[in-house]
Amino acid sequence: MEFIQQVINGLAQGGIYSLIAIGWTTVYGVVGVMNWTHGEVYMLGAFCGFFLFTRLHLPFLAGLLISMVAGSLIAMAIDQFGYKPLRKIGMPRMAGFITALGLSTLLRYSSTALFTPDPQAYPANLLSYKLLTLFHINGKAITVSSLHLMIFLGTLVIMAALELFIRKTLTGKAMLAASQDMSTLELMGANPEKLIKITFAISGALGAAAGVFVGTIYAINTMMGSLAGLKGWSVAILGGVGNMTGSMLGGLLLGIAESLTAGFVSTGYKDAIGFIIMILVLLVKPTGLKGYSAEEKV
Amino acid sequence: MKKLLARLPHGKGEWFFGSSGRATFFGSAAALLLVCFVDALSPSATIIPPYYKHILFSCLLYSILSLSLNLVTGFVGQLSLGHAAFFGIGAYVTGALTKFYGINFWLTIPAAAVLAALVAVPLAAAAQRVKGAFLVVITYGFGEVLRYVAINTDFLGGSAGMPGIKPPTIFGFAFNRVGPSGKELYILLAFALVSLLSFFTWRIEKSRVGYALSAIREDEIAAVAMGVNTKYYKTLAIVLSAFLCGVAGSLQAGYASFVSPEMLSSTQSILILTMVIVGGPRSIKGSILGAALLTILPEFFHSVKDWLGLGFDPWMILYGLILIILMRFRPQGFWGKTTVF
Amino acid sequence: MKKTKIISLIMACTLAAALLAGCGKGGSDKLKIGLVAPLTGDNGVMGESQRRGYEMAMEEINASGGVGGKTLELVTYDDQGDPQKAASGAQKFADDKSVLAIGGSCNSSSTLAMIPIIDGGKLPDLVVSSSSAALTGSSEYFFRMSVQDAAVGPLMADALTKMGKKSIVVLYPNNDYGKGLNESIVAQMLANGGDVLDSLTYLATDQDFTAQLTTVKNLDPDAIALAGTPTDSGLLIKQIRQLGIDVPLIGGTGLYNAKTIEICGDAAEDIIVIGVYVASNPDPKVQELVGKYVAKYKQEPDGFAALAYDQMYVIAQAAEKAMAANGGNITRETLAAALKTTAYDGVTGSVTFNEVNDWVRPYLTLTVKNGAFVMFEG
């Protein structure tokens, strides 16, 4: 049954979209800026992993963790030099967005100048590969690649850890509160700057993790951030901004939709389908699948 | 004629550069004519190479685009990352109509503009429901979807684009055969459009529509309370802006005699948006300045790269830096009047 | 008001500087060759290969005395794969009378946008890619040294037929190169009495092909033909093998690149590729190029780099001939005329142009053994 196989293919891809989307959505929720540089953090994370695996020959898990730390540092640096000065002058939203655009262009093209535009591949023996048969339908095997499965599980673990952090720790609860109303939280005595730093760190780590995952399965280049970043963004909006479960669902939905489009409709429109779904969802339900129904303040 | 001239703006207006609109218009028209035809007067070598005329045309073309987007971004305060789509639609309509159906270039302009405007209607409907970050994503996705349509439609040339579009003619003379470099009439046509558009924008700003748009930008809820039909005005701004981008697209198709899906790309949309932002939203001369700066500087840095012998092109890196620094120290752009978004 | 004036002044200065920027006249002892190509962006790899090939050949030519006593100089213009920028670049070089000829661009769309300008400026333009049929014979100043889809497709189909493969699937990127190659493979396959089960397309920037390959797996073909470029084909080959589809693979000229093997690793073993040259060719000319190129750029030259390397020699040879015939003087017209009668023996074969300035050339059939391209035998 090709349909079921395509759905499973889509789930594997969707996990990566979810991971990128959560990075978007946490920053948008807390800081309120469209962090266009997220795609670039993802790209830099992938390149960090590339150097760790090819030069230092680190094992996968060590490389992944170091890349995530590096991603956090990069994201915090972006905030420190890009957004913080704007917050001091009261951050008009448009200025934040254009700054993000500028930062993203700057990072993408400096990386191209530095790493050359050549595509790069991770070492082939980084993770062992096996084609796993899940079950049989009408004598046909439904399969999933062990890499995809591992990365999907990795995504779930990271998301579960994040969910725990947000539900159980004070900082996490503060982040959740901040995504609903930052100014009230400030009155409650929370330190917004610290909260924002943590948010960027988490977002950067998630972006870098997604980058390393993609590098492990596919190949990387300095332009990879633009499309992936945007897909992550549409997923975040699709799921409802500021809502992690929504992002997770949105990512899986987009992965499946792309896979089904490529399998049954037209491979040429595979990338377009995400945007079409997003536009339709936003028109019917402007808050996204699971967004908070924020009342407009008068 | 006298009556007509009297209707032109005068005094301290700013529908174009400088203190007096009329003076600036005639001044720049004269300068432009000189630039265009000085080569025809001089008997020997070319004084102004076609490359500069090409850049001049690009500046004017992008001025049309940024002035159009200014109606949406500057006046209503809505960010759009999909305006290249309207530009592309205009270009493709003109390309297809002149190439496959042999229709006169001048007749395709209204067709192109109207189609671009029609396509903008659903986008305008979307803009009623969402704003801010959401609208940016919708406009972006909208442009990308149309780009995929262009890539996947073999009739329109697919990803290679559509070459061999006939140049426009005037009194039987093809545009590219008139003047020393064949670009002069295009420049004058683009200049006429820029001046008209500047004049039009200036008039709109001081009109009922302009005040309504400003009211929406500053405080939409208050505007509704004052009885402004916000739905109508928002739609008007987007559709009008798309219409004008369509005209620009036609012009580009005639000038380059070539259209391709890259015209609809998000890079193009981002470029147009940053032109408005750099020059200053809501400012006419700002939009023109932004378009000129972001057209001339990349070309300039191509030469800088050759002088310094750099292994890479520094422009895109600088472009990023310029945006960051500008937003940090002058978020309203060079001549912008507002930071409310 | 004062501020405005200052800003205007700065503007004026920038404009003046920009105007002056292009006016620098090259010395008469130099022959400038321009290159308009994507050096950054999604197609940056292609343009960069072409630039390196040019640079390599130029250094050699200049080291051995240049062309008729004049040294060659390369000036580049990064079009980022955008036709509008490519047109600007072409215009810039067309105006600069010290530029004798240009190369580029890579994507057919950018090259198509450049044609009216190089034709008007009578500026010879040579390309190593851009295989769109719309470009054939588009200008008498346009010279194409790229591979022909119409020639490579039948070779791929014939090779498959010879191996006894009857039913195949074609995978091609959704651009004019992929489309053209797909059409010619399908036509030849049907003419050979074979069967094409399906032609599936993808976007050249795609990374995940599981969806398409699931369809392929269900079709159960005898062989798969790939019509893409290094990154996408490398990923495709890897994913085809990972999904357990164990049928022979054949690829077009776009696959000849060390990156293809680097990306797909062991999965590349035994794939068949139609190529224009092979780095393992014992020909000393080829070995010299490969040795120098690896020393300088830390990788083997791909097909584009090798073609560009030959192309620069073709330009130099034609320039030499034109100068000899015209008492040491050279113009774009005499260079173009000399190019038409080119006969140059390079690393990618014997270069000659036909009546529409296309290079009709022989091809090699290659395969991968132990992670390197070698000649295919039997």
Side-chain angles (χ1 to χ4, degrees):
Chain A
M1 292 284 300
E2 204 185 331
F3 183 80
I4 296 176
Q5 181 67 57
Q6 295 288 24
V7 168
I8 290 177
N9 297 341
L11 280 177
Q13 182 72 24
I16 294 174
Y17 292 149
S18 305
L19 209 51
I20 303 175
I22 294 176
W24 265 110
T25 215
T26 41
V27 168
Y28 188 81
V30 174
V31 194
V33 60
M34 274 180 274
N35 184 15
W36 194 283
T37 57
H38 194 60
E40 267 42 64
V41 174
Y42 155 84
M43 179 268 290
L44 289 170
F47 268 89
C48 180
F50 172 73
F51 288 114
L52 291 173
F53 295 133
T54 53
R55 299 280 161 81
L56 303 178
H57 307 286
L58 289 183
F60 179 73
L61 213 55
L64 175 67
L65 289 176
I66 298 179
S67 298
M68 283 171 79
V69 172
S72 293
L73 293 176
I74 294 168
M76 283 196 280
I78 285 173
D79 176 54
Q80 185 69 31
F81 299 111
Y83 303 130
K84 198 178 171 188
L86 285 178
R87 275 201 297 281
K88 278 191 188 144
I89 55 168
M91 176 97 104
R93 289 222 163 180
M94 183 207 62
F97 174 64
I98 301 292
T99 304
L101 262 182
L103 278 167
S104 148
T105 314
L106 176 72
L107 288 171
R108 187 181 307 160
Y109 285 91
S110 331
S111 311
T112 310
L114 213 63
F115 305 140
T116 75
D118 289 342
Q120 306 289 356
Y122 279 22
N125 54 356
L126 193 60
L127 283 179
S128 66
Y129 176 85
K130 257 177 86 180
L131 192 66
L132 305 173
T133 305
L134 292 177
F135 46 84
H136 292 267
I137 295 179
N138 300 339
K140 283 225 165 187
I142 300 294
T143 55
V144 65
S145 113
S146 60
L147 277 184
H148 277 119
L149 192 65
M150 242 157 106
I151 278 158
F152 186 62
L153 292 178
T155 310
L156 286 184
V157 168
I158 291 177
M159 281 193 260
L162 188 60
E163 189 71 32
L164 265 178
F165 172 76
I166 286 185
R167 299 271 169 227
K168 298 289 173 198
T169 66
L170 194 62
T171 323
K173 283 179 189 158
M175 265 174 68
L176 195 62
S179 67
Q180 287 178 354
D181 193 341
M182 186 62 144
S183 45
T184 314
L185 189 71
E186 244 181 286
L187 295 177
M188 303 293 199
N191 179 353
E193 278 305 316
K194 195 179 141 204
L195 214 53
I196 287 170
K197 277 276 161 320
I198 294 172
T199 310
F200 268 98
I202 289 176
S203 150
L206 292 180
V212 173
F213 284 163
V214 162
T216 315
I217 319 182
Y218 310 117
I220 61 172
N221 65 55
T222 48
M223 303 303 288
M224 68 195 273
S226 69
L227 189 63
L230 267 151
K231 279 190 182 168
W233 190 17
S234 19
V235 165
I237 294 232
L238 188 62
V241 161
N243 186 307
M244 270 179 38
T245 332
S247 290
M248 169 98 201
L249 278 179
L252 298 183
L253 192 74
L254 179 65
I256 295 171
E258 280 190 1
S259 184
L260 291 178
T261 312
F264 298 107
V265 187
S266 150
T267 39
Y269 284 101
K270 184 177 156 240
D271 281 348
I273 193 73
F275 295 117
I276 294 175
I277 295 181
M278 177 197 69
I279 292 175
L280 291 180
V281 168
L282 276 189
L283 288 184
V284 178
K285 197 168 180 299
T287 48
L289 292 177
K290 290 187 72 78
Y292 306 111
S293 54
E295 289 298 314
E296 196 159 321
K297 293 160 200 105
V298 181
Chain B
M1 190 68 197
K2 210 170 181 185
K3 223 176 182 179
L4 204 73
L5 277 179
R7 291 189 65 131
L8 279 174
H10 45 273
K12 295 253 172 208
E14 67 129 357
W15 66 279
F16 212 57
F17 274 77
S19 53
S20 154
R22 219 190 312 179
T24 334
F25 171 70
F26 287 119
S28 36
L32 217 62
L33 280 170
L34 183 71
V35 166
C36 283
F37 294 106
V38 67
D39 285 333
L41 301 175
S42 85
S44 60
T46 46
I47 297 165
I48 296 168
Y51 175 51
Y52 297 132
K53 288 182 181 164
H54 174 81
I55 295 178
L56 183 60
F57 174 79
S58 299
C59 291
L60 292 169
L61 180 82
Y62 278 105
S63 300
I64 303 177
L65 289 171
S66 60
L67 280 167
S68 316
L69 181 60
N70 188 31
L71 292 177
V72 176
T73 297
F75 285 162
V76 192
Q78 287 176 325
L79 294 177
S80 162
L81 281 189
H83 262 59
F86 305 125
F87 177 52
I89 289 172
Y92 267 104
V93 169
T94 293
L97 287 182
T98 50
K99 194 172 174 193
F100 299 128
Y101 303 104
I103 294 171
N104 188 319
F105 172 82
W106 300 104
L107 297 177
T108 65
I109 295 184
V114 167
L115 188 76
L118 282 179
V119 172
V121 171
L123 196 68
Q128 310 297 343
R129 300 200 53 139
V130 295
K131 51 200 219 176
F134 296 80
L135 186 62
V136 174
V137 193
I138 284 207
T139 51
Y140 184 97
F142 175 81
E144 283 296 278
V145 170
L146 284 177
R147 187 171 69 90
Y148 286 116
V149 171
I151 289 178
N152 289 313
T153 311
D154 288 334
F155 168 69
L156 297 174
S159 65
M162 194 194 297
I165 296 162
K166 279 197 210 79
T169 54
I170 184 162
F171 307 125
F173 294 104
F175 259 42
N176 58 350
R177 301 254 174 261
V178 180
S181 71
K183 300 181 194 304
E184 286 72 15
L185 289 184
Y186 292 106
I187 294 178
L188 294 180
L189 180 60
F191 175 70
L193 283 171
V194 171
S195 334
L196 261 176
L197 195 50
S198 311
F199 177 62
F200 175 69
T201 312
W202 177 76
R203 289 302 291 253
I204 270 198
E205 198 179 354
K206 299 275 174 283
S207 73
R208 195 186 143 82
V209 179
Y211 290 130
L213 295 179
S214 293
I216 296 173
R217 179 189 66 246
E218 301 294 335
D219 192 336
E220 194 172 339
I221 292 158
V224 175
M226 300 293 287
V228 176
N229 186 347
T230 54
K231 254 189 188 165
Y232 167 76
Y233 285 111
K234 275 167 143 183
T235 312
L236 183 73
I238 292 185
V239 170
L240 199 60
S241 159
F243 182 90
L244 295 166
C245 284
V247 174
S250 288
L251 188 59
Q252 166 70 14
Y255 173 75
S257 78
F258 177 70
V259 292
S260 71
E262 283 89 349
M263 288 177 80
L264 289 83
S265 71
S266 54
T267 325
Q268 193 85 250
S269 294
I270 292 175
L271 182 64
I272 303 171
L273 177 67
T274 45
M275 281 169 175
V276 175
I277 305 284
V278 166
R282 265 183 83 203
S283 158
I284 296 161
K285 53 186 180 182
S287 292
I288 297 173
L289 171 82
L293 267 184
L294 293 186
T295 313
I296 294 169
L297 285 179
E299 301 293 337
F300 174 64
F301 278 100
H302 279 306
S303 307
V304 167
K305 186 198 72 174
D306 287 342
W307 293 341
L308 302 178
L310 289 176
F312 59 92
D313 203 317
W315 165 245
M316 288 310 279
I317 298 172
L318 273 167
Y319 175 48
L321 270 178
I322 289 174
L323 290 184
I324 300 167
I325 294 171
L326 189 76
M327 285 303 113
R328 174 85 182 272
F329 297 106
R330 203 174 164 78
Q332 72 270 44
F334 271 117
W335 277 315
K337 295 178 195 157
T338 175
T339 51
V340 178
F341 272 94
Chain C
M1 211 55 222
K2 205 176 168 194
K3 222 176 207 169
T4 319
K5 271 185 186 155
I6 293 169
I7 292 171
S8 312
L9 200 67
I10 295 170
M11 275 280 301
C13 288
T14 322
L15 279 170
L19 270 166
L20 287 169
C23 292
K25 285 274 181 288
S28 58
D29 56 336
K30 275 187 178 157
L31 296 178
K32 273 201 220 164
I33 310 291
L35 172 64
V36 180
L39 301 172
T40 54
D42 285 328
N43 291 304
V45 185
M46 278 161 88
E48 194 56 30
S49 282
Q50 195 175 357
R51 191 186 66 76
R52 289 171 182 171
Y54 273 11
E55 203 171 62
M56 198 95 240
M58 237 170 211
E59 280 172 13
E60 288 177 17
I61 295 168
N62 288 341
S64 60
V67 177
K70 298 185 179 186
T71 51
L72 293 175
E73 190 189 339
L74 184 64
V75 276
T76 58
Y77 187 101
D78 179 8
D79 69 23
Q80 298 176 337
D82 180 349
Q84 272 172 283
K85 292 205 181 86
S88 299
Q91 187 68 60
K92 180 179 179 182
F93 290 140
D95 286 1
D96 187 348
K97 294 298 176 208
S98 62
V99 173
L100 197 58
I102 61 170
S105 182
C106 290
N107 319 38
S108 290
S109 55
S110 300
T111 313
L112 278 167
M114 287 163 66
I115 291 294
I117 296 161
I118 61 138
D119 198 49
K122 294 187 165 55
L123 176 65
D125 179 20
L126 297 92
V127 296
V128 295
S129 52
S130 305
S131 56
S132 169
L135 280 163
T136 312
S138 53
S139 161
E140 56 177 316
Y141 292 93
F142 177 67
F143 294 85
R144 182 151 57 174
M145 279 174 65
S146 77
V147 295
Q148 283 87 31
D149 303 340
V152 175
L155 280 175
M156 290 166 70
D158 287 345
L160 289 172
T161 312
K162 219 170 108 188
M163 288 159 67
K165 306 298 168 195
K166 286 275 176 217
S167 57
I168 65 158
V169 169
V170 187
L171 287 164
Y172 66 99
N174 195 359
N175 53 35
D176 47 283
Y177 169 69
K179 278 184 190 159
L181 198 48
N182 172 49
E183 276 166 25
S184 63
I185 296 170
V186 172
Q188 185 70 17
M189 205 62 208
L190 296 178
N192 288 354
D195 188 16
V196 178
L197 299 173
D198 206 351
S199 287
L200 295 168
T201 181
Y202 55 85
L203 289 170
T205 45
D206 276 357
Q207 293 214 306
D208 186 83
F209 305 99
T210 329
Q212 284 94 328
L213 294 178
T214 303
T215 312
V216 172
K217 203 173 176 182
N218 286 337
L219 289 170
D220 195 21
D222 288 347
I224 299 172
L226 305 173
T229 43
T231 315
D232 48 326
S233 303
L235 288 168
L236 260 170
I237 296 167
K238 188 169 162 185
Q239 290 169 25
I240 286 173
R241 294 298 185 230
Q242 285 183 345
L243 280 171
I245 307 173
D246 205 18
V247 296
L249 302 177
I250 187 162
T253 46
L255 271 71
Y256 182 81
N257 189 315
K259 281 283 166 204
T260 313
I261 300 179
E262 200 182 310
I263 288 168
C264 61
D266 295 342
E269 286 299 297
D270 294 326
I271 62 164
I272 300 165
V273 170
I274 307 293
V276 290
Y277 104 116
V278 59
S280 63
N281 188 338
D283 183 345
K285 243 187 318 190
V286 177
Q287 287 313 313
E288 195 192 333
L289 165 67
V290 173
K292 279 190 194 164
Y293 197 95
V294 171
K296 187 157 183 188
Y297 303 114
K298 312 276 178 279
Q299 55 176 263
E300 276 185 5
D302 61 4
F304 292 125
L307 281 169
Y309 177 80
D310 275 354
Q311 192 163 73
M312 188 49 70
Y313 271 103
V314 166
I315 296 172
Q317 196 197 42
E320 193 114 30
K321 203 156 68 180
M323 284 163 97
N326 296 294
N329 293 318
I330 186 159
T331 62
R332 291 169 177 179
E333 283 92 340
T334 55
L335 178 69
L339 278 169
K340 280 181 196 295
T341 59
T342 297
Y344 173 74
D345 207 17
V347 293
T348 59
S350 303
V351 185
T352 51
F353 294 106
N354 66 8
E355 66 283 357
V356 287
N357 296 347
D358 259 347
W359 177 21
V360 180
R361 48 158 306 130
Y363 293 92
L364 310 172
T365 309
L366 311 170
T367 186
V368 177
K369 291 282 177 217
N370 302 322
F373 286 103
V374 293
M375 290 296 291
F376 179 69
E377 282 147 23

